[in-house]
Amino acid sequence: MLRLMHAEGIADLLLELPGLIGQQERRSTDFVRNAVAWLTALEDLFTASRLHQAGSIAILRSGLLSAEHGHVPEGLQFRGRPTRTRVLTALAAQALKQAADTASELLSENRARLAEAERVAQQIVAAGLSRGVIMGRGEEASNTEFLRALRRGLSTSADLEPAAVHLEGLVGPYDALILFDRALAPHLAVLAVAMTGQMQ
């Protein structure tokens, strides 16, 4: 399952591509090196999520490394002499395209699931706040402790507990806490005032 933080990391990497393509257009000497670094970062994200696509990215990166050592792949054609720089630049551009296609497809496959999880988390928080199930965080509690206590509190509600279980089924318990935290963000000021009133 693609974790929320990894999905966001992949999306951030895709946003870096226009800058990389700009380097290629300017014939920057850093283009190939930065393309390899981008592929490595994407491979690391796939590996962290235990996704088989990590292997595909590793193969693309391996092709670039082979070209750096003088191997020219079959089928790569140029007008004129295929210099090392031209070969590396062409392979880096191809690798970026293939990797970007893989990343975009993966995000597309998970977009609906993550969007539903975000919506469910917001509904749970809204309902929990209106019923008094979700209270403000005490000064002595860390944010993680507060979120775990919030999750335990939901188990006392006959209708919010199934919704929380559904959310965890969509993204897992850890990412569910992250989504609760984000859904709570707009309400923090109100919760803080409520907690102050309770302490007085």
Side-chain angles (χ1 to χ4, degrees), residues 55-96:
S56 300
I57 307 305
I59 290 171
L60 293 174
R61 199 164 51 80
S62 175
L64 274 172
L65 293 174
S66 295
E68 286 183 336
H69 292 93
H71 175 70
V72 179
E74 294 183 7
L76 197 64
Q77 297 180 351
F78 296 94
R79 292 179 180 176
R81 190 168 64 89
T83 64
R84 179 175 178 274
T85 299
R86 293 179 69 189
V87 169
L88 284 172
T89 299
L91 285 178
Q94 286 181 4
L96 287 178

Side-chain angles (χ1 to χ4, degrees), residues 83 88 95 100 147 159 161:
T83 64
L88 284 172
L147 291 170
D159 57 341
E161 170 63 9

Side-chain angles (χ1 to χ4, degrees), residues 8-30:
E8 292 173 345
I10 292 168
D12 288 342
L13 278 178
L14 288 173
L15 290 175
E16 294 178 11
L17 282 176
L20 281 173
I21 300 307
Q23 291 178 15
Q24 180 191 7
E25 291 171 345
R26 295 190 302 273
R27 298 183 179 180
S28 169
T29 55
D30 294 328

Side-chain angles (χ1 to χ4, degrees), residues 7-140:
E8 292 173 345
I10 292 168
D12 288 342
L13 278 178
L14 288 173
L15 290 175
E16 294 178 11
L17 282 176
L20 281 173
I21 300 307
Q23 291 178 15
Q24 180 191 7
E25 291 171 345
R26 295 190 302 273
R27 298 183 179 180
S28 169
T29 55
D30 294 328
F31 170 64
V32 173
R33 177 174 57 82
N34 290 338
V36 171
W38 188 92
L39 290 169
T40 301
L42 183 62
E43 182 184 337
D44 288 345
L45 283 171
F46 285 169
T47 301
S49 278
R50 299 181 178 275
L51 298 169
H52 68 85
Q53 288 89 342
S56 300
I57 307 305
I59 290 171
L60 293 174
R61 199 164 51 80
S62 175
L64 274 172
L65 293 174
S66 295
E68 286 183 336
H69 292 93
H71 175 70
V72 179
E74 294 183 7
L76 197 64
Q77 297 180 351
F78 296 94
R79 292 179 180 176
R81 190 168 64 89
T83 64
R84 179 175 178 274
T85 299
R86 293 179 69 189
V87 169
L88 284 172
T89 299
L91 285 178
Q94 286 181 4
L96 287 178
K97 181 184 184 309
Q98 291 176 34
D101 288 345
T102 299
S104 297
E105 182 179 353
L106 181 64
L107 289 181
S108 179
E109 291 171 356
N110 286 271
R111 187 171 291 116
R113 175 178 62 83
L114 295 175
E116 182 184 355
E118 184 177 3
R119 179 183 58 79
V120 170
Q122 290 172 347
Q123 290 176 341
I124 291 172
V125 166
L129 288 170
S130 67
R131 299 176 193 180
V133 176
I134 299 175
M135 307 300 290
R137 176 165 64 95
E139 293 182 0
E140 71 286 353

